Structure formats: structure tokens, C-alpha cells
Amino acid sequence: MSDIQKDIQNNDSNIKIIAFLCNWCSYGGADTAGTSRLKQPSEVRIIRIPCTGRVNPLFPMKAFIDGADGVLISGCHPNDCHYIEGNFYARRRLEVLKYFIDFMGIEKERFDYQWVSASEGQRWQQLIIDFVERIKKLGPIGKCET
Amino acid sequence: MRIGFFICHCGSNIAGTVDVVQVAEYVSKLPNVVHSVHLMYTCSQPGQKEIVDAIKEKRLTRIVIAACSPKMHEVTFRRAIERTGLNPYLFEMANIREHCSWIHDDRELATQKAIELVEMTIAKVARHESLFSNKVDVNKKVLIIGGGIAGIQAALDMADGGFEVVLVEREPTIGGKMAQLDNTFPTIDCSSCILTPKMVDAGQHEKIKLITYAEIESVSGYVGNFEVKVHKKPPYVNYEKCIGCGICERKCPAKAPNRFNLGIGEGKAIYIPFPQAVPKVATITKEHCIYFKSLAEGKLNRCKICQKVCHVSAVDFEIKDEYINEKVGAIITAVGFDLFNHSVYQEYGGGRYPDVISSLQYERLLSASGPTEGKIKRPSDGKEPETVVFISCVGSRDDSVGRPYCSGICCMYMAKQAILTKDHLPESKTFIFYIDIRAGSKAYEEFVKRAQVEAGAQYIRGRVAKIYPENGGLIVRGVDTLLGQQVEVMADLVVLANGVISSRGSNELAQKLRIPYDQYGFLSEGHPKLKPVETNTAGIFLAGACQGPKDIPSSVAQGSATAGKVQGLLSKDQLETSPLVALVECSRCIGCFKCLKVCPYNAIERITLKDGSLVASVIPTVCQGCGLCVATCPSASITLKGFTDDQLIAEVEALCR
């Protein structure tokens, strides 16, 4: 059994990861991974957005507040944005968000943003395997006492 | 609200991993869902009919279909829904194939995930509203980038269809790589004999505007209305005046490498690329011109011989860079390919041995219009070779140089060159080192047989380990994997089958066009099977080897295919624009105009309300729906239809429930 299959089978955790993917590159990359039957852990739920530049930092924060254990945002590689420069704006906002997440008392490793093109199915698979493993190590997100 | 839910088996593609019956049953119990069924193939005609009938019978007002990626069938289902009279934007797809059934094995987990994805989609669809397209006028002109055979074919087909064409070529002449070839496989017909008439047609067609020696500076706009800035490099010859007599080239005292002949033989600083060039005009290469060189050194030199001998006063050293603006409705990218530079192969001499040449250099030696007038003379001493060795897969199918893919054309051109070698030098012997012979198209296999039987080419299956010079020749040492022994061939000339790589600068062009490309730099088609000449960016198309290695018949076919696609697009007077665009709620707008600054399309304008306040407004036909302004707006007064904050947060909430 390959390492990848082992990683995927080891699936007894109860974590949830929300991924916001831009329609043009990363959503296509996840589609390419699917078309190529590249097996992945099942913890990730994908929300389609037009561009990473559409992401209001409120969305990942809302996901954490509602109990998501990890949030991943992925778009076109820098310079390859379908909308010319949307991902550059996203990069600045999300870089700042990393510090804010830490400030809010959430481990900042629970959040990441990446660039995956529509042809990079294998890269998407590896990214998911690695990210899920990272979140599993952190365990479920702590619930807020009210 | 009456939600209808349909889940697709997709044969066993989905139902094999996801328990679709269980999902349908679960969803039927959700609030507002009045119809929940599983269908074998939702995209099929009977599947669509079931959906249409259900919408009518159950008076459904929102539709969710759980099936493949929306990139696949969103449009299909929107059309079906539209037929019922329901607004097609009151619909959403849950991707449970590419993002679920195809990537998981565990049925229970996959089913649970599918349910959650469907709940998320239902939460979104409940917040949809009816949306309506706008119409925008179409500019019925097409820009074609690259004047190789694919671009020429596309240009001629477009022009013959009555459309205005702007054909931009980087080199001084159109013709591309095909113009450099001697003969073509599998018919051994002369390349220029079949290409030249097409080049002349393209040059003379009243609908085709040729801009050579020019590159794309910038591209803005969107399908139907692109604005393109073309940078015309200074050739220091007035192309309008030049008659292509060639006297300047004959009299020019400055030697320069001959670019068209790939460095074999000498050229001049002012040159006409080849006799059949279109347009047949001279161009000065600045770095080799005596006048420009002396000017750079601050000396006054009066060379300017070309200017003196020119009968029509076409030479003009004062010509500056020129920028031409063109408005077009569609763009065809046909920028072709380059050949792998074999100097990274140290075992083949790393480019140090003059008699180890590239396949395209060999074409120039074979060509009657080449540096040796069609006589095969090896570069080092001009001797006619008795033994020629061909080596396949130089920069193809080789992970060690980062080129794992097959270049597709090399097996065939090696066979052709072996046949032509025998034709030119009947006494010669040819050896071909190969890994596999790939001859998959019409009449190709027979052609390879012809090289083996008629031309006597000796095919040796195996790689070459080393080439080294000895006694004025070259020893080619390799292995014959079929015999399981080492072989050594004493060669006079070695021809490498250089692989196909993406054209220099094609990635920068892709970024200007906002189209994706793969890790090797080849431009990506919209779908590997179903959209071979479209890109993901509406209005931009691909033809020829810029998409991946291709032979001439395929490049021509793609040139015609893009022309067909573009004619379909430009035959409409107006295009429907996507209604998924931004909208400013002017009562909340504070008039900061940050949205205007970030908008990549200049789709935001300032308007004055009745109360005199200045606010932002989106021009819906220009907006492309990226949502950048929405995330930027500090007063949250912009929404993106189809992707509202409300909808995205509802999706998050549904997933975290």
C-alpha cells in the first residue's frame, strides 16, 4: 500500500476543513485531480468563488467561529490571475489575516492560502494530503466557552 | 420556496462510491425541498426531460443538481431550466463527482460528504434571485497572434468568411517553422511549395492586415470587445516602400549570423529572411549594423551603404518604435513552438562539436534555398557525409532534462530526413537511434517502413551514451537494447531530434491574455477533449503547437477549427453578458471610490444622485464578476450577484452545522 493510500485510509478523525477555491485555476485544479482519480482525504469541503480577490477575510473567520478546524484558500498563481490582479489583493489581505487569526487565539497553522493552477491536479492532491495531516495533528478546534 | 433536488448516478461514476439513494432520501426531508430524486444520467435527454417535467408539475422555484463539476454541465442545465420558463439562475450544482466520488474510496465517508455538499448548495440556492443577461455589441474583427501555418490557416479561413483579420507576427515575415522545412512527411512534398501560396494569399487578402516584426504589448477588454496594443519594432526599413529587390543585402559589408538558417552560413546585417518571404522586405538587425555600432561607440561612421544603394529610398535609420491600437472581438493565439536546446546534453558534446547539429539545421542543409543550396555539406569542413547518425528524443521523454513528454513529430521527421539523405546522397548510410517509433497517424507507419526498406535506414533501438571526435569524424557509442550489446558507429554527421518546447515568450503573452498554461509553458485548452481550441477565457482561442507538440496536419486542422469557432462567435451582432456581476447599493455607498481603483476592467463609474451625492455605479456589460470591489468596499455596499456575502456565509454555516 502506498503512503498516499495509508494517509487517506487513516481517516478516523472528526475534523472539517473548508476550502475557498477560485473558479478559474484552483477549482479547475481540484477538478483535474478528480478527473485523474487522485485519491484524497475526505475532510475537505470546497466552496466555489470567482476569484480569491472576492474573499472577504470575514469568510475564513466565520468558518472558524462556526467550528471549522481548518481553512484553505487557493487561487491562480501570481501573474496568472484570470482577472489580472485579483490574487495580488487576496495575497495582501490573507497575509494580514494570518496575524489576525493568531491574535484571535486560533493557531495560525489552521489557515493557509496557496496557488494551484487548473493543470496542477497532482499538486492539489499533495496540498490536501499535507494540509489535512497538519490539521489532524492540531486536532479539532477548541470550542469557545460562553 | 419550492426546491427540487436531483442527484445523478453518472452510471457508476458517482453511484459506485456515493449512496445516491440515501442522499436523495435525506434531502427529501430538508425544509423547503418538495422534490428529491435520483436519476441515472441527469445530463442525458431523458434526464433533462425528468427535470423539466418536475419543474412544471411540482411548480419548483429553485433547482439543485448534484452531479459533476459545474464547469462541465452548468450551461447544459441552465438551458434546460430556461425551457420551462424558470429563471436559469435559480439553480446551483453540487460537485459530487470530481470533488467527491472520484477521489474517495470509502462509501460511508463519501456519502456523508456528498450530503454536506448538497446541504451547502441548498443553503446557497435558497438565497438566489432571478438574474437577467445584458447584451453587448460585438466587434467583428479578429486578432491572430503568430503567422505560422496555424495562424495563416486561421487568418485565411476567417478572411474568406468575410471577417476583418489582424495578423501579428514577431519575425519580419510570416511562414513560421514550416518555412524553414525542406520537405514534409509523409508525402515528401516540398514545404515551401505548399506553404508559399498560402503566405501570398494571406499577404494579399483584402481582409487581412499583416503586421510583421511586431509583438503584443498589452491586451485589455473582454470577449467581443478587446483592445490590443501592438508594438511594432523598428526594422529601419520602410516596409511600405521596400520592394524586396535585395540589393541592400548584397552590398551590405556587415556580416551577421543567418538567423533563418539557424547560424549555418553567413548572413548580413540587413537581410530578407528568405526568397519567398511575405512581406518580402529587408530588415536591419541593429546589433550587427556598422552604422548603429559606430553610433553606439560615439563615432561618426558613414557606412549607410544600404541607404545609398536602395532605389526606392526605403532605408530609414530614424524609424522609431511604433504602437498600433486595434479593437477586436476575438483573439486567436497561434504562437507555435521552439526546439529544445541540445547543449545541455554533455554526452552529445554540449554544443561543442560543429558536426552535431539540430534537426532544423539539417532541414536548412537539405533545402534548396538553404546555405548550401540543397547540398548536404557538414558544417566543420564542407565535406559530404557518408554516414549520418540520427538520435531521437533529445529533450523529449527524458525526465533528467525536465521533459517527460513525447514531442510527437520527431520519429516522423527523422524518417523523412533519412529518406531525403538517401535521395541527396545515394551512397550514404544512415543510422537512427530510437527509443520507440511513434507513427500513429494516417500513412505514417508506412512512411517509416519506407525509410527502413527503400532508404535503408538502420534503426537501432537504444540510447546513445557518448559522442566524441576521432580522425575527423565522430564516434557515436550507444547500446542496442534488442541485441543487448554495445554499438559504435563512425559518423560524419550527427543529427539530433530536438524536442518541441513552448515558444519563447509565450508565457508572458499568456499572462497578458489571462489564459492558463501548463508546467512546460504550453497554453492550456478549455477541456482536453471537448474544448481543444478554446481557452478558459471567453473570446480567446488556441491553434497549433502553442497548445502542445503538433505536426503540420494537426496545426492546420486547429487553425481551421479556431476560425470556425470564432466565426460562430463573431457572426452574432450582440453577445449576452453574464449577469453574475457586481451591483452597488447607492444608498449605502460613501463615495470613497476604492472600488474604482481596484477594478481591473474600468467597470465602475461615478454617478451623481438626485440629492447631489457622488456614488459609484457598476457598468454591468463591462463588469466581469471577479468580486474584487466587493471585498474592497469599506461600507459593504457592493454585492456580487450569484456570489453574495449572504450566500457564501450561508454555505459556510451549512457546512459547519
Side-chain angles (χ1 to χ4, degrees), chain A residues 5 8-9 11 16 18 20-28 30-51 53-59 62-64 66-68 78-87 89-90 93 117-120, chain B residues 13 69-72 74 78 92-93 95 97-99 101-105 109-110 112-113 116-117 120 124 219 507 511 514-519 524 529 536-538 597-601 624-632 640 643-646 648-649 651-653 655-657:
Chain A
Q5 281 170 316
I8 294 164
Q9 286 230 333
N11 206 343
K16 188 162 290 175
I18 293 184
F20 294 90
L21 303 196
C22 89
N23 181 43
W24 303 98
C25 293
S26 295
Y27 197 90
D31 276 359
T32 305
T35 308
S36 318
R37 315 294 203 273
L38 300 175
K39 300 296 176 193
Q40 295 155 42
S42 65
E43 283 86 349
V44 180
R45 308 283 179 267
I46 292 170
I47 296 179
R48 183 162 74 131
I49 50 173
C51 176
R54 167 72 186 88
V55 174
N56 187 325
L58 171 71
F59 302 157
K62 174 72 176 157
F64 282 126
D66 284 352
N79 285 329
D80 294 355
C81 179
H82 181 80
Y83 298 109
I84 308 169
E85 53 192 8
N87 54 0
Y89 286 95
R93 287 180 194 139
S117 83
S119 62
E120 291 176 326
Chain B
N13 282 309
S69 170
K71 284 177 166 294
M72 194 78 208
E74 197 171 51
R78 278 209 179 122
E92 197 68 26
M93 281 182 85
N95 183 347
R97 194 179 71 174
E98 282 84 347
H99 292 186
S101 71
W102 274 351
I103 55 169
H104 304 313
D105 291 324
L109 286 171
Q112 181 54 36
K113 177 168 171 180
E116 289 182 32
L117 290 175
M120 165 186 103
K124 185 179 184 192
V219 180
N507 292 3
Q511 289 172 0
R514 304 185 300 280
I515 54 174
Y517 49 90
D518 66 19
Q519 74 240 62
S524 303
K529 279 146 259 175
N536 268 337
T537 301
K597 279 187 204 131
V598 300
C599 179
Y601 298 94
Q624 299 297 300
C626 66
L628 202 44
C629 56
V630 185
T632 304
L640 180 62
F643 295 95
T644 63
D645 282 2
D646 188 30
L648 292 170
I649 286 171
E651 285 185 274
V652 170
E653 282 175 346
L655 287 176
C656 293
R657 216 169 276 153

Side-chain angles (χ1 to χ4, degrees), chain B residues 74-358:
Chain B
E74 197 171 51
V75 176
T76 313
F77 293 127
R78 278 209 179 122
R79 277 199 207 110
I81 292 165
E82 202 166 17
R83 287 203 296 272
T84 68
L86 188 67
N87 187 285
Y89 292 92
L90 298 174
F91 150 73
E92 197 68 26
M93 281 182 85
N95 183 347
I96 59 161
R97 194 179 71 174
E98 282 84 347
H99 292 186
C100 188
S101 71
W102 274 351
I103 55 169
H104 304 313
D105 291 324
D106 188 306
R107 197 171 168 81
E108 208 177 306
L109 286 171
T111 306
Q112 181 54 36
K113 177 168 171 180
I115 286 174
E116 289 182 32
L117 290 175
V118 170
E119 285 188 289
M120 165 186 103
T121 313
I122 287 176
K124 185 179 184 192
V125 88
R127 288 158 178 83
H128 267 323
E129 54 181 74
S130 295
L131 299 176
F132 301 93
S133 303
N134 280 293
K135 294 238 161 99
V136 57
D137 288 340
V138 175
N139 185 321
K140 290 176 179 281
K141 202 192 247 188
V142 62
L143 168 77
I144 299 174
I145 309 169
I149 185 60
I152 290 172
Q153 185 65 39
L156 289 173
D157 286 357
M158 285 302 301
D160 287 343
F163 293 90
E164 299 278 338
V165 177
V166 180
L167 179 56
V168 175
E169 167 59 47
R170 176 158 68 184
E171 300 295 328
T173 172
I174 57 171
K177 292 282 185 297
M178 189 175 169
Q180 291 173 293
L181 304 182
D182 176 35
N183 286 300
T184 56
F185 61 78
T187 44
I188 308 277
D189 44 354
C190 151
S191 184
S192 53
C193 307
I194 54 176
L195 175 65
T196 311
K198 282 189 182 287
M199 288 167 61
V200 172
D201 280 355
Q204 293 179 345
H205 206 295
E206 55 171 10
K207 295 272 185 193
I208 299 178
K209 178 180 175 185
L210 210 56
I211 309 178
T212 59
Y213 209 48
E215 300 194 39
I216 303 302
E217 180 73 12
S218 64
V219 180
S220 60
Y222 48 92
V223 58
N225 293 281
F226 289 107
E227 285 184 35
V228 184
K229 195 174 181 188
V230 181
H231 171 206
K232 184 147 175 44
K233 297 171 278 187
Y236 304 109
V237 173
N238 187 332
Y239 281 179
E240 303 290 317
K241 287 186 184 168
C242 180
I243 53 167
C245 66
I247 190 165
C248 52
E249 189 172 358
R250 285 196 296 280
K251 299 288 182 188
C252 175
K255 302 261 189 290
N258 188 321
R259 270 161 51 91
F260 188 73
N261 291 334
L262 302 144
I264 295 183
E266 264 177 356
K268 296 287 185 65
I270 186 164
Y271 68 102
I272 297 171
F274 55 101
Q276 302 94 329
V278 171
K280 196 177 176 192
V281 287
T283 302
I284 294 176
T285 45
K286 207 173 172 180
E287 67 266 34
H288 298 110
C289 172
I290 293 171
Y291 169 74
F292 279 114
K293 279 205 292 196
S294 59
L295 209 62
E297 288 162 9
K299 287 182 231 153
L300 268 185
N301 185 293
R302 300 264 172 225
C303 175
K304 292 189 175 176
I305 289 172
C306 48
Q307 200 170 41
K308 284 171 204 147
V309 297
C310 181
H311 304 302
V312 290
S313 315
V315 178
D316 179 358
F317 294 102
E318 304 303 320
I319 293 180
K320 297 273 181 293
D321 292 88
E322 193 186 337
Y323 293 91
I324 304 162
N325 290 313
E326 290 285 348
K327 290 185 176 175
V328 297
I331 299 174
I332 297 173
T333 316
V335 293
F337 67 101
D338 273 319
L339 283 185
F340 186 83
N341 181 352
H342 59 254
S343 65
V344 302
Y345 281 94
Q346 289 304 319
E347 60 267 43
Y348 303 157
R352 292 189 308 278
Y353 308 140
D355 292 334
V356 177
I357 62 173
S358 77

